[in-house]
Structures are given as C-alpha cells and as structure tokens.
Amino acid sequence: MTIPASLAGRLAIPAIVAPMFLISGPDLVVECCRAGLLGTFPALNQRTTEGFIAWLDAIEARLDAASAPYGVNLIVHRTNSRLQQDLAVVVERKVPVVITSLGAVKDVVDAVHSYGGLVFHDVISARHGEKAVKAGVDGLIAVAAGAGGHAGTINPFALLDEIRSFFDGALVLSGSLSRGRHVAAAELMGADYGYFGSLFIAAAESMASPEQKAMMIDARSADIIHTDKVTGIAANFMKASLAANGLLDAPGHVGALDLEGEARAWKTIWSAGHGVGAVRDVRPARAICDALIADYREVTV
C-alpha cells in the first residue's frame, strides 16, 4: 500500500468521503472525520471565499486530535474565478488534503506542497493520470464506470491496472463503492483507498433536500443515466430527476438543457452513481461510517 506519511494511522479504514457539489458541508465532514473517515467538501459549496473561510473555521473548531484529517475540493479550471482566492486560503489554513478536479496544474500542487499538504486529483483515464503525475500530485482518484457526478466509463480493473503501470503513489478507487468490504476489494485490485459518494447523499447531515434524499432511497442502478447533455461533461444522473425537469422523451432519450450556468443544473437535476441501491434510508453519517468500518474489519481482520 502507498499511504502518505501524513495520513498513516489517522484513518479507521482507508476510505475517503467524496466532496459532493451542493451536498457536502461542515456537518457531514465533521461527522465523517470524527468516525475515522477522511471527510471532504467542495470550496464552491460556499458562494463566496468569505463563506469558505467560515466553513473552515467551523470544521476546525469541531475536530480534535483523535479525528481523521479533512480535505477540500478545488475546481482547477479557467471558469473558476475564485481559484486563486480559495487557494490562498487553503495555503494559509494548511488544509491537510486538497482534491483537484478538471485540471492538474503544477502551480496549484506546488502551493499545497509548500506547507506539507497533499494533492489528490480526479482522473477518468490513464491519459489524464499521466498529466496529473507530471504536475506532481501525491495521489490519483480513479473515477471508474458507475461513479456519481462527472464519471468515466472505464472498468475499474482496467483503469487501476493502467494507472498502476506508471504511478506508484496513493491510488483511490471511485465508482459504486457502498460497503466496507468494497474497500478491501479495491486494495486487492491495487488501490490504497476507497472513495464513497452516493452512500452519503441521504445522510442526515447531507445538504441534499428531503426530495433528493427520497429519490435516492427509491433509486436503483438501472435508474442512473450517463449523459453529457446536462453540463456539457459526461456525468451520471438519476433518471427520475431528468424526467422531472422535462429532459426525457418518450423513448427515454435525454434532451439538451438550456441553462445560464452549470451550477444551476445540479440544483434540480440530481446525480448519483450505480451504488445508489445501497441507500435505503436516511441515517446519521456516523452510523454509515460505523457500518463501513465494521464491514471492512469483518473481512480483513
């Protein structure tokens, strides 16, 4: 296993709770970290950099030395006008883990490394992974077929093997994980961590609306549609939310969405991965984490 020294021994199991747009906030992050999983959130879940700072204050005030580290997601893309402001805050506050998406930029990696932070980067292919390695990232998140949000289409066996052929750093598997034993399976496949997203959308501390949580509980893997018609980048969405927004025709084809900005799309068109069938009720995040930890230990101890 390739566990960075700053994370060694600090997680109950090698698992990360993904930063989910409009879903992850301080309450979810804190409860996951207290349980022993690495909790994360997107900086852009706060509308301003000042709000982002307030969230960091709230999270850091509620965590202690026994808690797992937390992480922040930064969108590294020219459309993110806040990147430099938010990055400056990340450096000043010495955020332990930064997850970058939509671009691997060496200057961003160097800034996080300046204080000893870690950078993990989302990739959906080996080609993207090679670019991120050149930028100096510490870890790669292999976003395989079936993951929620902006997901790839490559089978996890193939994706992990291709990445391991050129990268010996920390490797995270994303895509339909919903049990602790799935983390153990990911380790056998060559990954170091498992990545959980959809399982926590219906958590009590999630910022998802009651309607979105109810849709998660009702959905199964067959109810997930992979399309680029919503945001311009291929992602997995719940069929029922597409239908509710008038985006499905009679045969079930997805029509184009006419919105001013991508952020608006995610407010009423809801994403989830193929692991959605594991979501059966609204539970506290701590209960979800405890179940994952117990299941992992059952098959590894």
Side-chain angles (χ1 to χ4, degrees):
M1 294 179 65
T2 312
I3 302 296
S6 60
L7 296 184
R10 300 195 62 192
L11 304 182
I13 63 173
I16 299 170
V17 181
M20 294 174 283
F21 189 52
L22 303 181
I23 300 295
S24 307
D27 290 341
L28 183 59
V29 170
V30 167
E31 289 307 306
C32 291
C33 291
R34 284 176 171 172
L37 274 60
L38 200 159
T40 67
F41 73 97
L44 292 179
N45 271 4
Q46 261 289 355
R47 296 176 65 89
T48 64
T49 296
E50 291 73 24
F52 172 44
I53 294 171
W55 273 14
L56 291 176
D57 287 339
I59 290 169
E60 291 172 358
R62 294 166 62 187
L63 297 181
D64 58 27
S67 303
Y70 72 93
V72 165
N73 171 234
L74 295 178
I75 301 299
V76 185
H77 191 271
R78 62 181 179 276
T79 57
N80 180 10
S81 60
R82 273 177 45 191
L83 175 60
Q84 294 305 318
Q85 290 174 280
D86 291 349
L87 178 60
V89 172
V90 163
V91 173
E92 179 185 357
R93 303 300 288 272
K94 294 181 171 59
V95 173
V97 178
V98 174
I99 296 172
T100 53
S101 304
L102 302 181
V105 177
K106 189 176 186 303
D107 288 348
V108 173
V109 176
D110 289 346
V112 177
H113 284 172
S114 72
Y115 63 85
L118 298 173
V119 178
F120 287 8
H121 185 68
D122 288 339
V123 301
I124 62 172
S125 69
R127 180 175 63 86
H128 291 145
E130 289 170 345
K131 291 182 178 180
V133 171
K134 290 180 180 178
V137 301
D138 303 284
L140 295 176
I141 302 169
V143 185
H150 291 136
T153 58
I154 300 176
N155 180 283
F157 289 99
L159 186 55
L160 287 179
D161 269 0
E162 289 184 9
I163 292 174
R164 271 295 179 228
S165 71
F166 62 84
F167 182 63
D168 61 0
L171 184 53
V172 186
L173 178 61
S174 170
S176 305
L177 280 72
S178 58
R179 300 186 65 182
R181 63 192 59 205
H182 294 170
V183 179
E187 289 178 301
L188 289 174
M189 293 164 61
D192 299 298
Y193 300 91
Y195 208 56
F196 292 90
S198 299
L199 190 65
F200 286 86
I201 293 178
E205 296 84 359
S206 155
M207 298 193 302
S209 67
E211 294 77 15
Q212 184 174 1
K213 292 180 181 181
M215 189 177 291
M216 290 289 299
I217 293 168
D218 291 340
R220 297 295 180 266
S221 58
D223 299 315
I224 303 301
I225 293 180
H226 190 255
T227 179
D228 64 358
K229 297 292 183 64
V230 177
T231 69
I233 301 175
N236 279 319
F237 294 94
M238 287 190 285
K239 184 187 299 183
S241 73
L242 293 169
N245 281 271
L247 291 177
L248 288 183
D249 59 20
H253 297 138
V254 182
L257 183 65
D258 182 20
L259 288 177
E260 294 176 3
E262 178 180 338
R264 290 185 57 196
W266 299 86
K267 291 182 178 179
T268 57
I269 303 175
W270 298 323
S271 176
H274 288 175
V276 67
V279 180
R280 299 185 177 93
D281 52 19
V282 175
R283 290 186 292 159
R286 182 59 184 256
I288 300 173
C289 292
D290 287 347
L292 290 173
I293 294 167
D295 192 53
Y296 176 85
R297 290 177 175 169
E298 180 181 341
V299 298
T300 57
V301 175

